């Protein structure tokens, strides 16, 4: 993958407001926050999208995501938050290095706005698709 702004932040070439770092993970405040405390949690492994992330890097993220979320809530006083993870330009990804947004949601409505438009569900098609996904996973 090509170098991104997040690779430069990992290498310390660009400053950030760091909140957490270990051998595999870095977390820092988003520079264009949707709300106070909006934090980005990134693997140091340079994968573009989450489906390309190694098991070890994803385990390292999963291990600390709840802890960092608790710290964001504790420091901001927020009681609700969203975790957002975009993959691909079509899905609103702008920085092509895997990242998880922790976005506090406040009583005044600041935080992540969600356009959630559920479609009708066809159980026959759903059964076929679930089988297909499961078969792909088993490969
Ligand atoms: P995406 O749309 O790719 O999921 O979100 C990328 C996020 O990275 C955006 O929320 C944007 O504000 C944040 N971002 C982009 N460049 C920088 C930067 O140089 N520093 C920090 N701290 N955040 C950045």
């Amino acid at each position: 993958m090509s170098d991104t702004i997040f690779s430069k932040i990992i290498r310390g070439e660009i400053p950030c407001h760091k909140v957490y770092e270990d051998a595999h993970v870095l977390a820092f405040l988003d520079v264009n926050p949707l709300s106070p405390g909006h934090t980005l949690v990134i693997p140091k492994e340079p994968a573009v999208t989450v489906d390309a992330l190694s098991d070890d890097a994803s385990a390292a993220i999963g291990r600390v995501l709840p802890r960092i979320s608790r710290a964001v809530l504790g420091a901001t006083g927020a009681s609700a938050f969203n975790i957002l993870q975009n993959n691909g330009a079509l899905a609103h990804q702008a920085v092509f290095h895997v990242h998880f947004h922790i976005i506090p949601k406040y009583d005044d409505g600041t935080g992540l706005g969600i356009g959630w438009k559920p479609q009708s569900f066809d159980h026959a098609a759903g059964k076929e698709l679930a089988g297909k996904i499961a078969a792909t996973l088993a490969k």
Side-chain angles (χ1 to χ4, degrees):
M1 67 179 272
S2 59
D3 214 25
T4 68
I5 196 102
F6 290 172
S7 311
K8 293 186 172 72
I9 288 175
I10 290 168
R11 293 196 299 266
E13 294 166 12
I14 289 179
C16 70
H17 293 285
K18 180 163 65 176
V19 302
Y20 177 84
E21 182 168 18
D22 65 30
H24 307 287
V25 177
L26 179 67
F28 50 95
L29 296 182
D30 193 304
V31 81
N32 297 117
L34 290 182
S35 63
H38 183 163
T39 298
L40 299 172
V41 183
I42 71 173
K44 291 185 176 176
E45 182 176 284
V48 175
T49 51
V50 81
D51 51 289
L53 204 55
S54 70
D55 285 359
D56 282 350
S58 46
I61 291 274
R63 196 164 46 237
V64 296
L65 206 48
R67 204 180 336 147
I68 299 171
S69 299
R70 283 194 294 277
V72 170
L73 294 179
T76 61
S79 58
F81 67 106
N82 294 97
I83 289 184
L84 175 70
Q85 204 282 312
N86 299 325
N87 299 280
L90 194 59
H92 210 276
Q93 185 177 13
V95 178
F96 295 98
H97 180 124
V98 171
H99 52 282
F100 291 75
H101 298 255
I102 298 173
I103 310 170
K105 187 84 181 179
Y106 295 94
D107 287 340
D108 66 1
T110 53
L112 181 67
I114 299 178
W116 191 277
K117 296 173 189 153
Q119 302 181 348
S120 60
F121 188 76
D122 177 328
H123 286 278
K127 184 178 179 187
E128 188 183 334
L129 186 54
K132 208 169 164 183
I133 293 168
T136 307
L137 267 169
K139 278 182 194 163

